[in-house]
Amino acid sequence: MFHRLISKFRTATLPEKTAAHVLPALLQQADAARLAAESREALALYRRALEDQPDNLYAIYWAATLLEELGDILAAAKLCTQGLTIDPDQIGILLRLGGIASAALDP
C-alpha cells in the first residue's frame, strides 16, 4: 500500500526532462543508428531532435544527408535552406546543398 503511494510521490516530485536533457541522448541514438546503416531510423530520430530544437545545425546536416541518401532530394535541399537561414556561413550545410544540387542534375 505504501509502496504505491511512495512511487506516486516520487514521480510527482521529479522535474520534467527538458529538451536540453533529452536532446544529447536523442542525437547519440540517431548517430548510432546512422553508423549502423539504419538510415530511416536515424532520420526519424534526427527529425525528433529538430522538433525539440529546430535550429540544431548538427541534426539539420545529418537529416539532410540521410534524405539525400534515401532519394528525397527536394526535402534535403529544403532542410539545407532552413539551416542556412540560421547560419548562412555554415560550411557543412553549404557543401551538403552543393552535393544535393549536383546529385539532382546527375542522370
Side-chain angles (χ1 to χ4, degrees):
M1 178 174 160
F2 289 111
H3 178 65
R4 199 176 329 176
L5 181 62
I6 291 170
S7 176
K8 285 183 181 180
F9 176 75
R10 283 186 183 153
T11 57
T13 58
L14 291 174
E16 287 187 33
K17 288 188 175 182
T18 63
H21 293 97
V22 175
L23 191 63
L26 190 58
L27 291 174
Q28 284 180 342
Q29 288 176 332
D31 290 343
R34 177 176 48 81
L35 292 171
E38 297 172 0
S39 299
R40 292 191 189 284
E41 180 183 344
L43 179 58
L45 291 165
Y46 287 123
R47 283 181 165 162
R48 278 186 42 207
L50 289 169
E51 288 173 9
D52 290 339
Q53 191 179 49
D55 63 346
N56 187 298
L57 295 173
Y58 183 84
I60 288 172
Y61 174 85
W62 282 113
T65 299
L66 292 167
L67 284 165
E68 179 186 5
E69 287 177 8
L70 292 169
D72 195 344
I73 302 296
L74 187 59
K78 183 178 176 183
L79 200 51
C80 284
T81 303
Q82 175 186 332
L84 292 173
T85 61
I86 297 164
D87 183 357
D89 297 325
Q90 215 302 320
I91 191 69
I93 294 177
L94 284 167
L95 291 171
R96 174 60 43 217
L97 186 57
I100 291 166
S102 178
L105 296 174
D106 191 15

